[in-house]
């Protein structure tokens, strides 16, 4: 009888097997994250920025202005459920918000749009971090949900505060565009770093000064590119659906801006495909370099063996224990034998040089 295998996965990585659809269960790995809520309530002429102390303060904003509420801390499911109750969000939407393994997507509801995408950035160890960001687009509000503090929206915050650009004079769908555009623009910095890494590996491999862990580093870079690709490619479908959306929440004037995001995603996707091919070429180049080095070593060993084969043959003959070997009784036999060996050695070196084997 087979023994049961003990599950060593953490509670955050286990699948929600047997749960009722719509169960709001946090699946991330930051259970102690502090709840942080910030709100931007603005019109063309004024802007109010608040750090909200509790969830209930999210419900005090009146119509007539555009409100962006940014919630950090998906582990606070009770607070998210309260927000969902106030804005009448579907239970499946709340479930997807706290389930951080979602694929980038868009769901359309009668009064709002639900958008999920991945925010990418490098941490202090120069590793790519992929964080899920969920957006709710309403008639006069945008809700954003993040797992932890720290994002790529600082420039958006300044534009709202300082009334730069069109954001203060445009409806909420333009605010959603600005937030998505900030994430997509940050993809370009990720792509630039990946390109620099590939160029560094190419230089290292071509120079011949290859580190022992270069193959592992190339594999890590390959995984990074695949991770970026998984975040970017589904987002193209999301933006395409927004462009073709007939909801009243998306204005025709704003569709042009979303089309610009789609063009950026096409550009990033093409670069990702190019880098994937380059990674495969790097691995082939590395294996070819290793093979060439091995061939050089084998060539030297073969030449050395070829040189010593005739010398070993001569030494073997005159090292036999026969009593009657004519040359043994000659006075200068020892010196003659050394001379023959040296001439053979030099002659074979000259021959290998002419054949360009050395």
């Amino acid at each position: 009888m087979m023994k049961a295998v003990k599950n060593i996965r953490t509670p955050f990585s286990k699948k929600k097997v047997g749960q009722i659809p719509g169960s709001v269960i946090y699946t991330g790995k930051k259970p102690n994250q502090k709840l942080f809520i910030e709100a931007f309530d603005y019109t063309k002429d004024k802007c109010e920025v608040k750090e909200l102390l509790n969830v209930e303060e999210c419900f005090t904003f009146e119509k007539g202005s555009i409100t962006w509420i940014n919630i950090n801390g998906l582990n606070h499911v009770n607070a998210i459920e309260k927000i969902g109750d106030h804005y009448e969000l579907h239970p499946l939407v709340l479930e997807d918000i706290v389930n951080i393994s979602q694929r980038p997507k868009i769901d359309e509801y009668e009064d709002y749009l639900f958008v999920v995408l991945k925010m990418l950035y490098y941490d202090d160890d120069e590793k790519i971090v992929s964080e899920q960001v969920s957006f709710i687009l309403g008639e006069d509000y945008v809700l954003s949900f993040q797992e932890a503090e720290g994002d790529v929206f600082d420039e958006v915050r300044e534009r709202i505060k300082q009334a730069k650009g069109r954001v203060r004079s445009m409806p909420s769908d333009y605010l959603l565009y600005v937030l998505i555009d900030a994430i997509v623009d940050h993809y370009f910095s990720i792509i630039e770093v990946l390109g620099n890494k590939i160029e560094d590996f190419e230089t290292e491999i071509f120079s011949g000064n290859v580190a022992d862990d270069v193959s592992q580093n190339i594999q890590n870079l390959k995984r990074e590119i695949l991770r970026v690709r998984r975040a970017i490619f589904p987002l193209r479908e999301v933006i395409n659906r927004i462009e073709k959306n007939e909801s009243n929440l998306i204005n025709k004037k704003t569709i042009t801006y979303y089309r610009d995001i789609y063009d950026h995603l096409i550009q990033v996707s093409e670069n990702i495909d190019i880098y994937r091919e380059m990674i495969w070429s790097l691995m082939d180049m590395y294996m070819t370099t290793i093979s060439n080095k091995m061939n050089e070593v084998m060539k030297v060993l073969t030449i050395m063996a070829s040189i010593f084969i005739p010398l070993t043959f001569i030494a073997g003959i005159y090292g036999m224990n026969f009593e009657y070997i004519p040359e043994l009784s000659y006075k200068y036999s020892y010196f003659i034998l050394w001379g023959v060996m040296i001439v053979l050695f030099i002659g074979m070196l000259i021959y290998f040089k002419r054949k360009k084997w050395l």
Side-chain angles (χ1 to χ4, degrees), residues 96-208:
D96 290 345
I97 288 175
V98 297
N99 182 4
I100 65 169
S101 61
Q102 292 295 314
R103 183 177 182 267
K105 66 174 184 175
I106 178 173
D107 291 335
E108 304 171 26
Y109 293 87
E110 184 176 354
D111 299 324
Y112 59 89
L113 297 179
F114 174 53
V115 179
V116 178
L117 45 78
K118 299 294 183 180
M119 179 173 60
L120 303 177
Y121 59 89
Y122 279 100
D123 60 9
D124 296 335
D125 297 328
E126 295 187 355
K127 294 182 180 179
I128 291 182
V129 176
S130 176
E131 181 180 344
Q132 178 171 301
V133 182
S134 304
F135 295 105
I136 302 293
L137 171 64
E139 182 179 356
D140 55 0
Y141 66 87
V142 173
L143 307 178
S144 59
F145 299 86
Q146 304 179 50
E147 189 175 10
E149 293 186 47
D151 51 39
V152 297
F153 301 140
D154 289 341
E155 185 177 347
V156 177
R157 294 182 177 93
E158 287 301 316
R159 288 165 64 182
I160 295 175
K161 293 176 183 178
Q162 304 298 329
K164 295 180 180 179
R166 303 180 178 87
V167 63
R168 289 265 291 269
S169 60
M170 298 290 282
S172 58
D173 60 337
Y174 185 83
L175 173 59
L176 177 63
Y177 152 74
V178 171
L179 295 172
I180 296 178
D181 185 62
I183 293 176
V184 173
D185 284 347
H186 208 70
Y187 290 162
F188 283 97
S189 62
I190 298 293
I191 293 298
E192 182 179 357
V193 173
L194 291 176
N196 292 336
K197 287 184 178 181
I198 292 176
E199 290 180 1
D200 292 341
F201 281 130
E202 282 185 336
T203 303
E204 180 180 353
I205 293 174
F206 272 121
S207 66

Side-chain angles (χ1 to χ4, degrees), residues 268-315:
V268 174
S269 300
E270 289 176 350
N271 288 334
I272 286 294
D273 288 337
I274 292 172
Y275 290 160
R276 285 185 68 197
E277 296 296 327
M278 293 178 69
I279 283 294
W280 285 110
S281 299
L282 278 179
M283 186 57 70
D284 292 339
M285 190 189 309
Y286 172 69
M287 296 306 297
T288 301
T289 303
I290 295 298
S291 178
N292 289 339
K293 286 186 176 180
M294 183 63 68
N295 290 338
E296 288 294 325
V297 172
M298 294 303 298
K299 183 174 70 174
V300 172
L301 294 178
T302 302
I303 290 174
M304 294 298 296
S306 300
I307 290 175
F308 280 96
I309 283 175
L311 305 184
T312 304
F313 175 75
I314 294 175

Side-chain angles (χ1 to χ4, degrees), residues 46-108:
K46 65 177 183 177
C47 176
E48 183 180 6
V49 181
K50 288 184 178 181
E51 180 179 335
L52 307 184
L53 301 178
N54 52 63
V55 178
E56 286 72 17
E57 292 187 36
C58 298
F59 313 146
T60 60
F61 298 100
E62 299 179 357
K63 292 187 177 181
S65 61
I66 303 298
T67 305
W68 171 31
I69 301 176
N70 184 41
I71 300 98
N72 295 327
L74 299 183
N75 53 308
H76 297 270
V77 294
N78 292 332
I80 293 175
E81 286 178 329
K82 289 180 180 179
I83 294 175
D85 291 339
H86 176 77
Y87 288 97
E88 298 181 354
L89 304 181
H90 196 282
L92 292 178
V93 171
L94 300 179
E95 178 185 5
D96 290 345
I97 288 175
V98 297
N99 182 4
I100 65 169
S101 61
Q102 292 295 314
R103 183 177 182 267
K105 66 174 184 175
I106 178 173
D107 291 335
E108 304 171 26

Side-chain angles (χ1 to χ4, degrees), residues 311 336-348:
L311 305 184
I336 293 174
L337 188 62
W338 264 109
V340 171
M341 288 184 176
I342 292 173
V343 169
L344 280 174
F345 177 77
I346 296 175
M348 294 184 75

